[in-house]
Amino acid sequence: MLPAFLAKYPDISVEICIDYSFTNIVTERFDAGIRLGGSISKDMIAVRMGPDWRLSVVGSPAYFKSYPLPAVPQDLSVHRCINIRHSPAGSIYAWEFEKEEKKINVRVNGPLLSNSIVHVLNGALDGIGLAYVPEAMVKDHINNGDLIEVLGDWSPLFEGFHLYYPNRRNMSPAFLAFVEAVRYSNINQG
């Protein structure tokens, strides 16, 4: 979406700041933020940017030579798992699972912790342990045999990403053009 938008509007400049914590976009003076739909404050305007998605538990074939394939989420307690912490002061993400109306959060342990999903994925590719990463990021690695997915029937769908922003009376034409460009229905048509 971004290359097409910038080509269409060459006079508009877009600044992107990556921060995995729940930054207050109003106090930090951002025009907008991007979050999963279920984590947006009700006083914000939200525009869907993409489809629902899920996370995949993956490990390398080399890793699974030393460890058994987990059959249920509770089996992760005997595995080396790569954790993610979204902000330095935040808690470590508990892996969320769901099957047949049963929801389970599992706190896993392992040798590596990062605030970057890319580093978590690289750790799994390097055989350090299991990772819980977005399915779209690992699809090619699974198809190529670089990673093996486990517990796929336990991975729930998460509400897709949304651009969100406060209700303002005087939004710039550039901002309104950007909002329209990221709208999921427009991306699918383009």
Side-chain angles (χ1 to χ4, degrees), residues 87-158:
S87 68
S91 62
I92 295 173
Y93 174 70
W95 295 12
E96 301 172 71
F97 298 98
E98 183 178 335
K99 184 176 182 179
E100 298 169 0
E101 306 288 324
K102 183 177 182 182
K103 293 183 180 189
I104 301 171
N105 287 354
V106 179
R107 296 215 176 269
V108 298
N109 294 306
L112 184 62
L113 173 66
S114 178
N115 75 332
S116 165
I117 202 73
V118 171
H119 290 95
V120 171
L121 171 58
N122 287 339
L125 288 165
D126 291 341
I128 294 172
L130 299 182
Y132 199 34
V133 293
E135 179 182 50
M137 287 183 73
V138 294
K139 192 175 189 178
D140 289 341
H141 294 294
I142 293 168
N143 292 339
N144 294 338
D146 300 327
L147 291 172
I148 297 168
E149 181 181 23
V150 294
L151 303 174
D153 58 335
W154 280 92
S155 296
L157 279 176
F158 292 92

Side-chain angles (χ1 to χ4, degrees), residues 26-128:
V26 175
T27 59
E28 295 296 323
R29 301 183 54 127
F30 288 106
D31 290 322
I34 297 173
R35 286 190 187 162
L36 292 176
S39 62
I40 298 172
S41 174
K42 300 296 180 204
D43 61 343
M44 294 285 168
I45 296 172
V47 176
R48 182 181 273 271
M49 295 179 63
D52 292 345
W53 57 279
R54 68 184 199 97
L55 296 169
S56 295
V57 178
V58 294
S60 71
Y63 174 84
F64 284 118
K65 285 182 181 176
S66 301
Y67 294 90
L69 297 173
V72 294
Q74 294 85 341
D75 292 347
L76 294 171
S77 66
V78 298
H79 283 272
R80 295 167 54 91
C81 297
I82 303 167
N83 274 302
I84 191 159
R85 183 189 322 258
H86 296 292
S87 68
S91 62
I92 295 173
Y93 174 70
W95 295 12
E96 301 172 71
F97 298 98
E98 183 178 335
K99 184 176 182 179
E100 298 169 0
E101 306 288 324
K102 183 177 182 182
K103 293 183 180 189
I104 301 171
N105 287 354
V106 179
R107 296 215 176 269
V108 298
N109 294 306
L112 184 62
L113 173 66
S114 178
N115 75 332
S116 165
I117 202 73
V118 171
H119 290 95
V120 171
L121 171 58
N122 287 339
L125 288 165
D126 291 341
I128 294 172

Side-chain angles (χ1 to χ4, degrees), residues 4 184-190:
Y184 182 51
S185 60
N186 293 342
I187 294 170
N188 283 338
Q189 296 170 9

